[in-house]
Amino acid sequence: MEIQGICPLLQVFDMPTAIRFYRDVLGFQVHATSQPGDDCNWAWLKLHSGELMLNTAYEADQRPATPVPARVAAHEDTCLFFGCEDLDTAYQHLRSNGVNLKEPKVAPYGIRQLYFKDPDGYGLCLQWPATQQTHDQWVGEYGIEPKTIA
């Protein structure tokens, strides 16, 4: 068996809000939708080699007025990680787009990370090697450019 790639599916409360966040803030391209426009039930997004699908959590006639707290709390178990070399620029860009987040930090395992949440409460993390050891690992695993980390 040979599996090629992965494309997570996230259940979202409000599709237009989710699409605007992933497309207009994070830079994903909308590859396909269940019907034209942002107010659809399903969307397939792509960003470089990354893929993500969004699906409405409720049928339009069954959607509650506000997100169900227990459902949003369950999103704490999900975090998507993305490679991003320039975390300082990403931090400024996200802040200028109203995203609530703290400055990037270096994790004990040598990766600099920037955590935040999407409109549905799913965790997102932009990360990049902060030490020579982790950078050298990423060179082999992800094909990033070799360089010396100061």
Side-chain angles (χ1 to χ4, degrees):
M1 179 171 81
E2 183 177 331
I3 295 174
Q4 302 270 335
I6 186 170
C7 184
L9 174 92
L10 299 178
Q11 299 287 334
V12 301
F13 180 75
D14 182 68
M15 185 64 80
T17 299
I19 287 178
R20 281 191 300 272
F21 178 78
Y22 282 95
R23 181 191 60 213
D24 302 343
V25 177
L26 297 185
F28 279 81
Q29 298 294 315
V30 177
H31 183 68
T33 58
S34 58
Q35 63 247 22
D38 293 355
D39 195 11
C40 55
N41 293 312
W42 170 86
W44 180 14
L45 310 175
K46 292 185 174 188
L47 179 61
H48 305 293
S49 63
E51 298 182 33
L52 177 65
M53 290 186 294
L54 305 173
N55 198 74
T56 52
Y58 303 95
E59 297 298 326
D61 61 344
Q62 296 180 9
R63 186 175 116 174
T66 59
V68 176
R71 185 179 192 95
V72 174
H75 298 171
E76 290 289 326
D77 290 343
T78 301
C79 189
L80 303 177
F81 290 76
F82 302 91
C84 179
E85 186 170 7
D86 190 352
L87 291 177
D88 296 319
T89 298
Y91 172 75
Q92 293 302 326
H93 171 76
L94 292 167
R95 281 191 49 133
S96 71
N97 279 279
V99 177
N100 182 22
L101 72 167
K102 295 179 183 174
E103 292 185 15
K105 302 274 188 222
V106 177
Y109 40 86
I111 302 286
R112 190 165 182 240
Q113 299 177 313
L114 177 61
Y115 284 95
F116 55 101
K117 302 232 181 236
D118 81 353
D120 285 276
Y122 291 106
L124 303 174
C125 179
L126 305 180
Q127 62 179 6
W128 201 256
T131 66
Q132 191 66 54
Q133 180 182 2
T134 55
H135 184 85
D136 292 346
Q137 288 173 335
W138 280 39
V139 167
E141 293 175 19
Y142 301 111
I144 66 172
E145 291 293 319
K147 71 177 187 179
T148 301
I149 303 292

